[in-house]
Amino acid sequence: MSTPIRQQYLDLRKRYPGTILFFRLGDFYETFDDDAKLVARELQITLTSKPMGKDLRVPLAGVPYHSIDQHVAKLVARGYRVAICEQLADPSEVKGLVPRDVVRIVTAGTVTSEASLEAGRANYLGALVHRGRDAALALADVTTGEVRLVPGDAAAVELGRSPVAELLVEDLADAAGAAMPVVLRPLLSDMAVDAALAEQFGEHAREALVPGPAAAAALAHLLAYLRETFPAALGSLQRIRAESGADELLVDERTLRNLDVFPGPGRTSSLLAVIDRCRTAMGTRLLRHWLAHPLRHPARLAERHDAVGWAAANPIERERVRSVLRAIPDLARLAGRVGARTATPRDLAALRDGLRAVLDLGALLSSCGLPPLLEGALRSLSGAAEPLATLDAALAEDPPAAFDDGGVIRPGFSPEIDSLHALTRDARSFLLGLERLERERTGIKSLKVGHNKVFGYYIEVSAANAALVPPHYQRRQTLVGAERYVTEELKEHEARLVGARERLVELERQAFASLLETLAAGLAAMQSVADAVALIDVVLALGEVAAEQGYTRPVFTEGDLVIRGGRHPVVEAAVGPGRFVPNDCVLDSETQILVVTGPNMSGKSTFLRQVALIALMAQAGSFVPAAEARLPLFDRIFSRIGAHDDLAAGQSTFMVEMVETAQILHRATPQSLVILDEVGRGTSTYDGMAIARAVIEFLHNRKEGAARTLFATHYHELTALEGILPRVRNAHVAVREEGAEIVFEHRVVPGPADRSYGIHVARLAGLPRAVVARAEHLLAELEAERAAHGRSSAAHARNGSAPEPAFQPPLFGGPSPVEAALAALDVDGMTPIEAIQKLYELRAMVLQQRVPR
């Protein structure tokens, strides 16, 4: 038969399946049964057992209450969900079984422990919902109270480019390929959606705040899930930001990865690492958002560039402000804890210090002539004054971490608390004086007054002085070499002290809770202050990078892309100042597609990436690494770079390449920037060459998909397209030969490369000499065969005989009669009837060419 506490545990265990249940027992959180075995294994702690009924011992593994956060963080990071069960009453005040219940469930998307979070990275709980053809993604960061809604086609892109830690869906098909934990949720009715939104944001929230039924349902799912797992977090969710892709440059997860915008697994170098000079975690998170969500709005971009230009041009003011920023903690997450009512006294002390620094920041900026974006941020900083005054009035200057001994509330805030402080001080002074008094009374010089949690206050006398102990001393405990006693006087003062301390702690807890409520009432203002600090931090960081690295302000135009002296910011930072070779890039009315050739390791991929990064940085609001940059406002940046298998989906390298290329061809517009690196290399030479040419022709000829394109390739035959397609131009990476060696100059110059230099690259890579020599011999044989075949074809042409058919016809030859006839057509001057007639004639020519001679 189980004990009552065992039954209490089992009842809770049934209510929270799929979680690890941490059960509060005194100063420990305990786990039992299979949970205990799992926790002991995962946390590397001791597995013991505990009797919990007649002839019943159950496995047990526990952790101290003060270290629960770090242990939960480890388990959540490994994919587990953790339920926290608390004691709902003081055990000393309860007769019988202490009431307990689960107060929250910690999941990947609701974790708040600093041990589980990256300071400069948001941690979103997401909900992806479809309603008919409408889709929407709702995102909430419970650590800051940020809520974002992304409707329409942009939802799928947003899921990839935002740091979503956990995703809620109504249909698992919506989460196919998702990298984060996925939670299947029941379908919500319209009535349930309306009720959830109204409960959190007011009766008319759906009409006023939410764009469409899918967005409403997604947001309702977030709210319902938080009510189940972390209801306190709902207090911090007060602002909703509905986002539209119309004013943004869409950059998907693949492109962000291909361009090394953010650090990734096994990769530390990134654009963010190069330009992140932010002094606050809030600034780094905002910079991440700017890079993942570049703008297409000219006026907003002009504001950002004006602000960055001011920061770059005013180094003295910039450094003064940045020195103040260094002293500002993560106000956004501290405000989030205030909203959730989970802030500790130390949290509020950090918040107060941060708000003081914010006012110093405002005073410093007010003396500068600021551009509009920084002026707006400066006005928001004034919101720090009211919560700072509230904290200064109520919170002690250096509060303790816990309420055990008082000292959380500032003297003068509450007369009752002050009187209890005085009483506890007097009682402690009496107890300290009692030791001196008792030594004089008894003549025992070694007598001590001490305290422990079990016996309270006591008088300790060594065994050698036992004969001197007065009769009114009451023995409490016998030790080796000493005895411990109490007296009526000691018990009286201890009771007075304990009662005063308990009352003091109770009143300070009440005052602190009231302080949290007062601060939470002004949460929106504190969140605005945090936003303003983050904005100032990002602008000054970008200004510092621009000044130090020689970045220039981009100019946006209606048409051409002109970059002079462009540099790859990440590679430039890696090789060191002055060593990167800058390059120009022009994509205009005559050059829609630039075919770039050259050997491996020469810099083709770097050139492609740097153009895309310059465009992305410009539309994020940063200055760019170039001597001059005139750019159109792109709607999307697409990239197909690198080769990797998607083994989980059963897809080969070539299949992944083709799927990604197909997505680009379907979605690219004339306002897009496309960079394609080695399309077609995953299959045979002729297949790959044919696919590569077809892709170029499609991007060139399809009016609605005629994107500006950089196309790097090893297929030198593709360079013939410059003479066939009017808006295709060639460029190559210059190579200088010095005897048998080659030197990569890393300069991109007009025209095609003369050859691939593949064997030279193999030699540089360290292939054995015998392999290199054999490759040179085979290459000579193949080139000789090709030359002989060319001479044979020419001889057959002179004799009028048909040459032997090749294994596969060459992809690039002279124009056929049909092509020549097509090129001669005056399409604009033809009537529909003439066009149809001409089409029949061309068809007849094709059929005639197919007749065997």
Side-chain angles (χ1 to χ4, degrees), residues 332-344:
R333 286 185 172 169
L334 289 171
R337 291 175 201 162
V338 169
R341 281 62 165 183
T342 58
T344 66

Side-chain angles (χ1 to χ4, degrees), residues 433-452:
L434 180 64
E435 182 177 274
R436 183 177 59 255
L437 181 63
E438 290 299 316
R439 285 179 179 179
E440 293 174 357
R441 287 176 178 173
T442 62
I444 304 171
K445 302 301 181 184
S446 61
L447 180 147
K448 294 187 298 185
V449 174
H451 177 270
N452 66 30

Side-chain angles (χ1 to χ4, degrees), residues 278-520:
C278 296
R279 296 290 176 86
T280 70
M282 299 172 291
T284 295
R285 292 198 296 270
L286 180 60
L287 179 57
R288 270 183 173 270
H289 185 80
W290 281 18
L291 292 175
H293 302 79
L295 300 176
R296 295 190 70 214
H297 196 289
R300 293 176 63 193
L301 283 170
E303 283 188 335
R304 289 186 184 181
H305 288 136
D306 287 344
V308 173
W310 177 89
N314 293 273
I316 296 176
E317 292 85 350
R318 183 181 72 231
E319 286 310 308
R320 286 175 178 168
V321 172
R322 282 167 60 77
S323 66
V324 177
L325 285 169
R326 185 184 284 111
I328 297 179
D330 196 335
L331 296 177
R333 286 185 172 169
L334 289 171
R337 291 175 201 162
V338 169
R341 281 62 165 183
T342 58
T344 66
R346 292 278 173 86
D347 288 335
L348 292 195
L351 177 63
R352 179 181 56 197
D353 293 343
L355 294 173
R356 284 175 181 166
V358 165
L359 294 185
D360 293 341
L361 181 66
L364 192 57
L365 284 171
S366 63
S367 62
C368 306
L370 299 175
L373 189 64
L374 291 178
E375 276 286 356
L378 175 61
R379 288 192 294 272
S380 296
L381 297 184
S382 60
E386 186 173 342
L388 177 59
T390 300
L391 286 165
D392 276 340
L395 190 69
E397 193 58 37
D398 185 21
F403 293 88
D404 294 346
D405 294 309
V408 172
I409 301 302
R410 180 183 290 276
F413 179 76
S414 165
E416 188 175 2
I417 290 176
D418 289 346
S419 66
L420 288 170
H421 269 301
L423 183 59
T424 56
R425 281 195 302 271
D426 292 345
R428 286 194 184 96
S429 299
F430 168 79
L431 291 170
L432 291 174
L434 180 64
E435 182 177 274
R436 183 177 59 255
L437 181 63
E438 290 299 316
R439 285 179 179 179
E440 293 174 357
R441 287 176 178 173
T442 62
I444 304 171
K445 302 301 181 184
S446 61
L447 180 147
K448 294 187 298 185
V449 174
H451 177 270
N452 66 30
K453 289 185 177 181
V454 178
F455 296 105
Y457 284 93
Y458 56 80
I459 299 171
E460 184 173 300
V461 178
S462 64
N465 292 304
L468 299 177
V469 172
H472 67 279
Y473 276 29
Q474 305 169 26
R475 182 181 287 107
R476 227 353 129 73
Q477 185 182 16
T478 300
L479 304 176
V480 176
E483 296 283 348
R484 288 178 177 174
Y485 304 88
V486 295
T487 65
E488 292 299 327
E489 185 181 25
L490 184 60
K491 287 193 288 185
E492 180 183 335
H493 282 280
E494 180 182 10
R496 187 183 308 161
L497 176 60
V498 169
R501 184 190 295 124
E502 289 176 351
R503 179 62 179 159
L504 173 63
V505 169
E506 180 184 352
L507 288 179
E508 287 211 330
R509 285 185 184 277
Q510 292 175 2
F512 187 80
S514 177
L515 173 60
L516 276 181
E517 291 299 327
T518 302
L519 292 171

Side-chain angles (χ1 to χ4, degrees), residues 1-3 6 50-58:
M1 185 174 179
S2 299
T3 61
R6 169 70 172 172
K50 181 181 180 70
M52 300 194 77
K54 186 177 181 181
D55 300 324
L56 176 65
R57 291 191 72 89
V58 297

Side-chain angles (χ1 to χ4, degrees), residues 15 31 51 104 120 160 197 253 258 262 282 336 414 440 449 452 463 480 483 523 538 642-643 731 816 852:
R15 285 169 49 196
T31 59
R104 68 167 297 194
L197 298 183
E253 178 187 17
N258 287 340
F262 302 122
M282 299 172 291
S414 165
E440 293 174 357
V449 174
N452 66 30
V480 176
E483 296 283 348
L523 183 62
V538 169
S816 69

Side-chain angles (χ1 to χ4, degrees), residues 595-598 604 676-679 692 711-716 718:
V595 177
V596 185
T597 51
K604 298 192 306 296
L676 297 168
D677 193 3
E678 305 294 353
V679 167
F711 194 104
T713 183
H714 277 98
Y715 298 134
H716 294 278
L718 293 178

